[in-house]
Amino acid sequence: MDIRAVAIADLDALFAYLGDQLDENGRNGMPLFQPMSRAVTGVPDAMRARFTAGLATKLGEPGWRRAWIAVDAGGAIAGHVDLRGRADPESAHRAILGMGVHRDHRRAGLGARLVEAAVAWARETPPLAWIDLDVLSANHAARALYARTGFVQTGEIEDLYRIDGESHGSVMMSRRL
Ligand SMILES: CC(C)(COP(=O)(O)OP(=O)(O)OC[C@H]1O[C@@H](n2cnc3c(N)ncnc32)[C@H](O)[C@@H]1OP(=O)(O)O)[C@@H](O)C(=O)NCCC(=O)NCCS
């Protein structure tokens, strides 16, 4: 499976893939993996706008983002990973990771490959020195993937979110590059 950087021309396909993934959030046996109500369907406009603007933003400028996709033999998106900057300019040496793998391609090592692709890029990209992420406490698949790829848990906030009448904790993890 080929992993390559997302270009502006990929965005329609990427949002269709992300929308399909968000429709699984807390459904069909999946844990809640985005801190959003199950009532949200498709990619919210604000998320699309942040993603689109972030890709066009120079590294280090507020809101910057870079993303990679895995593309299957038929050209469909099988997984994604993205890195974005923190709001605080004093934290320009840290990026925040987000990711997902299409349901048809899980447990085949693609998630781990996507993490390593983002890490490889970040290692070559000064001043980045750390990757951080937040993961909902009940998302055990993602927590296991991150632990296997070298992320260390730095904290957990219980009851951070109240979503659809449920309480959800959130775990913070970091990997030094
Ligand atoms: C979490 C997710 C990205 C994992 O992707 P994946 O391609 O299936 O992961 P990999 O095949 O690379 O798995 C690597 C390791 O992670 C762990 N892991 C992955 N899925 C797991 C699961 N369902 N249960 C337990 N461990 C799991 C295992 O240690 C696995 O190694 P193994 O298969 O040799 O046991 C995928 O389940 C997903 O897209 N989930 C929905 C979106 C999401 O949670 N995104 C992250 C939000 S923070």
Side-chain angles (χ1 to χ4, degrees):
M1 190 100 55
D2 197 29
I3 295 178
R4 62 173 172 79
V6 169
I8 297 296
D10 295 314
L11 283 178
D12 284 348
L14 181 64
F15 291 141
Y17 150 92
L18 287 173
D20 174 70
Q21 200 158 92
L22 279 176
D23 288 345
E24 291 184 286
N25 190 31
R27 294 198 188 90
N28 305 333
M30 292 294 287
L32 205 73
F33 51 80
Q34 276 286 333
M36 292 187 335
S37 167
R38 293 160 182 85
V40 176
T41 54
V43 183
D45 287 345
M47 198 185 264
R48 282 173 198 255
R50 279 198 305 274
F51 218 101
T52 306
L55 291 181
T57 301
K58 243 178 80 182
L59 186 91
E61 304 269 311
W64 74 265
R65 186 185 295 254
R66 297 293 179 271
W68 295 264
I69 45 177
V71 180
D72 72 16
I77 298 178
H80 79 286
V81 62
D82 73 285
L83 293 175
R84 63 187 191 276
R86 289 184 164 273
D88 195 337
E90 282 71 28
S91 295
H93 58 297
R94 309 187 74 105
I96 301 172
L97 181 142
M99 68 172 308
V101 169
H102 188 278
R103 67 183 84 82
D104 293 346
H105 296 281
R106 291 183 188 141
R107 288 317 282 269
L110 186 56
R113 280 188 60 203
L114 284 160
V115 170
E116 294 308 333
V119 165
W121 176 84
R123 280 206 169 116
E124 292 171 358
T125 306
L128 294 179
W130 291 86
I131 297 179
D132 305 314
L133 60 86
D134 298 297
V135 53
L136 289 169
S137 302
N139 189 356
H140 297 292
R143 290 176 67 176
L145 163 63
Y146 297 140
R148 271 202 56 165
T149 52
F151 284 83
V152 173
Q153 182 169 328
T154 56
E156 179 168 18
I157 303 179
E158 69 173 285
D159 196 24
L160 181 60
Y161 303 106
R162 303 245 173 119
I163 300 169
D164 300 338
E166 301 160 359
S167 165
H168 289 270
S170 184
V171 165
M172 291 161 273
M173 301 181 86
S174 294
R175 176 168 165 177
R176 191 193 286 271
L177 295 169

